Amino acid sequence: MKKYLIVLMILAVALIASACSNSAETSTEPEATAEPSTQLHTVPPSEAEQLEWAPVDCEITLDSSSAVYAESADFLTFALVGNTDEDCELRFTLDEKTAAMLKTQPADTAYYLTVNKKVLKGTVSFSEDFSELTMKGGYSYAEMCALATEIRGL
């Protein structure tokens, strides 16, 4: 009985080994070349970054040492741009009347923003058509986030 069992075990092992070796054989037919797939990004590239614009809901002004150029009603929306201390900035959209008035001002006018009567320490610049104002620098990313929350009126 032991002899039959041993022979049966040897045959079973041989059968399993031969079955496994057949699937590992390489085929002689050339494989079809796979076409490259389009790589999808989980985070869009920064050039295509969509800004999340929010309404301005605070007391805000655009000032210089000699005049007030824009008040809360003149600021339409704003967005926080960037995600590090080095690249974060606040962007504001201005109404057409304010943009037209700012175009007529001398180029060397130094502007600054105030939010709820606090002077902000960032540098103010404008787009070519003065419809967008950018305030950059002077704050860390965490401070800019807190400032954005205050500007939203939260």
Side-chain angles (χ1 to χ4, degrees):
M1 181 79 167
K2 287 183 182 179
K3 289 182 184 180
Y4 293 117
L5 189 56
I6 291 175
V7 172
L8 186 59
M9 292 291 276
I10 291 173
L11 288 174
V13 170
L15 181 64
I16 291 172
S18 66
C20 291
S21 67
N22 287 341
S23 66
E25 288 182 15
T26 58
S27 68
T28 57
E29 297 177 22
E31 291 184 20
T33 307
E35 292 184 25
S37 63
T38 304
Q39 181 180 4
L40 300 177
H41 298 280
T42 55
V43 176
S46 61
E47 295 81 34
E49 182 177 328
Q50 295 293 325
L51 299 180
E52 187 176 326
W53 294 95
V56 175
D57 190 19
C58 70
E59 186 180 325
I60 185 170
T61 59
L62 174 65
D63 304 294
S64 75
S65 60
S66 61
V68 175
Y69 292 94
E71 294 180 335
S72 298
D74 303 322
F75 291 86
L76 303 176
T77 57
F78 83 101
L80 176 62
V81 181
N83 57 8
T84 65
D85 291 349
E86 292 77 32
D87 71 352
C88 65
E89 61 189 27
L90 289 172
R91 291 187 191 166
F92 297 87
T93 56
L94 301 171
D95 66 6
E96 291 177 15
K97 182 181 83 169
T98 304
M101 182 267 305
L102 288 169
K103 283 182 190 179
T104 65
Q105 300 305 310
D108 63 344
T109 304
Y111 299 98
Y112 62 92
L113 288 172
T114 61
V115 172
N116 296 330
K117 302 192 193 251
K118 293 185 302 187
V119 176
L120 302 183
K121 53 187 172 184
T123 305
V124 174
S125 61
F126 298 95
S127 61
E128 286 185 27
D129 63 354
F130 287 85
S131 65
E132 192 172 291
L133 175 150
T134 302
M135 199 256 334
K136 184 173 184 155
Y139 296 97
S140 68
Y141 178 70
E143 292 169 326
M144 281 287 214
C145 289
L147 186 57
T149 301
E150 186 175 353
I151 293 169
R152 288 189 74 181
L154 300 175

